[in-house]
Amino acid sequence: MEQTSIFKYTIEELEEILMENGFKKFSAKQIYDWLYIKMETNFDNMTNLSKELREFIKLRFKADLLKDLVTEESKDGTIKILFMLDDKKTIETVLMPQKYGQSVCVTTQVGCKMSCKFCASGLIKTERNLSVDEIVRQIYTMNLYLKNKYKDDPENRRARVSHIVVMGIGEPFDNYDNVLKFVKIINDKRGFEIGARHITISTCGIVPKIKEFADLKTQINLAISLHASNDEVRNTMMPINKAYPVKTLLDAVRYYVDQTNRRVTFEYILIDGVNDRPEHALELAKIIKGINGYVNLIPYNEVEENPYKKSTRIDEFYRILKKQNINAIVRKEFGADIDAACGQLRAKREGVIKNEI
Ligand code: SAH
């Protein structure tokens, strides 16, 4: 039988598999404890499991980590890892030490088919969804890294991943089922226990999925990549806007807020001469007024292959929003010196990859 990655299972699924095979349901919790709390990936070392059970899980599952090719550390402490998947495709994951804990930016697809004009990830030609375990294993590796870094001080709250932003390569709502299952696994109290309020999913605006997500009424944070105050500008930046224009998108956001009572984040990259004029700020304030949310102003990270430039009017834009009583913050950039900042992920180290294979 081909072994499957144990990282793709929720605890309920593991319980079912164990029971079907004549083992105790309870052992699923023990396995989760070894994997996610003790960080043990060698089944032979799971000493409180019976020998028969250990033999069974060895036959049935594997607990391989992702193969990490390169780890880069930025001056500000940001870590970026380039991973190679089993089919030799590569992805990137970023760890950002924050005041409030350790935050990981996860990738959900190889490449991205949304083709936002300003984004580097869309330049990756091959694309596919990541499987559940490929997403879980990104967090697992970062957690091991932290555990090791703080091995002399394991009680330190920095010794583990505490926050997740689903903002790496890919459109999470284009890989909806796998992303939600990933969230369920890392959220489980018997495992990593990363709280829903510590998880943020960012979408370019796939309206039917926003509604589906709203109906789940979770406490997970939602961020919307709005980036423009009207269809005319947004159409030039994001092809998805043709399918789901600004008004339709904002209606879905209102629905989400109604269903969940959660505050939404509007991401707004400021690009010189495209969406950064004072009238854009006023228009933005007008269209989102009354929605429980705030604007995250993101300095644009320039990408070689396109002509967009960083705006010089960030402070002015911010002040106009504030004057209109809109909550806004300017996002601090992490890891710009190692190409790990927003929108820079694309696993472009072909040289390294060739050498490794
Ligand atoms: N597909 C999802 C999540 C991935 S992108 C989404 O669209 O939200 C995470 C954020 O980085 C998005 O807001 C995206 O628009 C932004 N981004 C993309 N390229 C960028 C760049 N070059 N500079 C700054 N932000 C960028």
Side-chain angles (χ1 to χ4, degrees):
M1 188 197 292
E2 217 200 307
Q3 293 155 313
T4 49
S5 171
I6 195 148
F7 295 115
K8 73 179 227 194
Y9 296 103
T10 62
I11 210 159
E12 290 77 18
E13 287 171 337
L14 277 182
E15 286 172 347
E16 207 157 292
I17 295 171
L18 294 187
M19 285 192 302
E20 270 167 17
N21 288 279
F23 295 101
K24 292 210 177 65
K25 183 176 166 187
F26 173 73
S27 296
K29 286 198 195 81
Q30 295 175 307
I31 296 172
Y32 249 56
D33 188 74
W34 280 110
L35 278 178
Y36 295 108
I37 295 178
K38 300 195 176 75
M39 299 295 290
E40 177 60 69
T41 55
N42 183 344
F43 297 135
D44 281 324
N45 293 343
M46 301 185 175
T47 44
N48 62 353
L49 306 183
S50 69
K51 195 157 184 323
E52 295 74 45
L53 179 54
R54 267 181 274 160
E55 290 309 317
F56 170 75
I57 57 178
K58 269 160 64 182
L59 266 170
R60 179 87 188 234
F61 304 117
K62 54 186 174 187
D64 302 8
L65 301 181
L66 293 176
K67 185 170 163 49
D68 45 329
L69 296 182
V70 188
T71 303
E72 285 182 86
E73 184 159 0
S74 154
K75 289 199 280 290
D76 62 23
T78 302
I79 307 286
K80 182 174 77 170
I81 304 186
L82 175 71
F83 288 113
M84 186 162 75
L85 308 174
D86 292 346
D87 61 0
K88 307 254 188 285
K89 303 228 181 320
T90 53
I91 55 163
E92 292 180 335
T93 308
V94 179
L95 170 73
M96 297 164 286
Q98 308 268 16
K99 276 198 221 75
Y100 49 76
Q102 302 279 12
S103 179
V104 173
C105 178
V106 283
T107 282
T108 55
Q109 296 181 312
V110 177
C112 183
K113 52 176 186 269
M114 297 299 129
S115 306
C116 297
K117 294 286 184 292
F118 47 81
C119 180
S121 295
L123 298 166
I124 303 166
K125 278 187 206 72
T126 49
E127 39 177 71
R128 71 166 171 85
N129 282 336
L130 293 195
S131 61
V132 176
D133 60 89
E134 285 169 335
I135 313 176
V136 173
R137 287 188 285 164
Q138 294 174 54
I139 304 300
Y140 204 91
T141 308
M142 288 300 187
N143 219 45
L144 268 181
Y145 172 90
L146 290 171
K147 187 179 177 201
N148 196 34
K149 184 165 177 176
Y150 292 93
K151 61 177 179 299
D152 299 330
D153 184 12
E155 295 308 314
N156 190 322
R157 64 187 186 92
R158 303 211 151 259
R160 58 187 290 266
V161 175
S162 59
H163 290 69
I164 307 281
V165 291
V166 186
M167 295 188 185
I169 302 168
E171 167 48 45
F173 281 177
D174 188 35
N175 186 12
Y176 185 84
D177 293 344
N178 288 353
V179 168
L180 284 184
K181 194 159 165 202
F182 150 74
V183 166
K184 193 157 190 249
I185 292 169
I186 55 151
N187 177 238
D188 200 301
K189 286 199 170 31
R190 298 154 292 188
F192 277 157
E193 200 183 356
I194 298 175
R197 286 169 179 248
H198 287 189
I199 302 171
T200 302
I201 299 183
S202 175
T203 177
C204 64
I206 301 185
V207 163
K209 293 296 175 197
I210 295 174
K211 291 187 180 152
E212 213 175 310
F213 182 64
D215 287 334
L216 297 177
K217 297 185 195 285
T218 70
Q219 295 295 297
I220 299 164
N221 304 302
L222 180 66
I224 304 286
S225 293
L226 187 58
H227 304 329
S229 55
N230 62 52
D231 286 329
E232 203 187 328
V233 177
R234 201 164 188 266
N235 280 339
T236 67
M237 302 167 69
M238 304 173 73
I240 191 74
N241 197 63
K242 304 238 164 74
Y244 308 112
V246 173
K247 187 182 173 310
T248 313
L249 175 58
L250 292 181
D251 284 344
V253 172
R254 283 190 195 90
Y255 180 76
Y256 167 83
V257 174
D258 278 352
Q259 291 299 302
T260 61
N261 264 320
R262 298 287 290 157
R263 193 162 77 138
V264 86
T265 307
F266 293 107
E267 295 165 280
Y268 198 103
I269 315 173
L270 284 158
I271 304 177
D272 183 48
V274 174
N275 62 356
D276 66 338
R277 288 199 300 268
E279 57 268 35
H280 292 135
L282 284 170
E283 191 174 35
L284 175 64
K286 199 169 143 201
I287 62 171
I288 64 171
K289 194 147 256 167
I291 301 179
N292 182 16
Y294 74 99
V295 178
N296 207 333
L297 294 173
I298 310 172
Y300 180 61
N301 283 302
E302 293 173 16
V303 173
E304 233 169 71
E305 290 85 347
N306 74 51
Y308 292 134
K309 293 274 172 274
K310 191 178 261 180
S311 171
T312 51
R313 308 174 90 168
I314 300 177
D315 291 343
E316 184 187 4
F317 203 95
Y318 171 80
R319 279 196 300 273
I320 296 172
L321 290 180
K322 283 299 214 190
K323 221 172 160 183
Q324 296 297 312
N325 282 321
I326 297 291
N327 290 318
I329 56 163
V330 177
R331 183 183 285 175
K332 188 169 167 250
E333 286 299 321
F334 288 91
D337 53 331
I338 54 166
D339 270 4
C342 294
Q344 290 185 320
L345 300 188
R346 61 165 121 174
K348 65 178 172 183
R349 317 209 147 251
E350 280 80 15
V352 176
I353 296 159
K354 273 194 208 98
N355 292 341
E356 283 283 329
I357 294 172

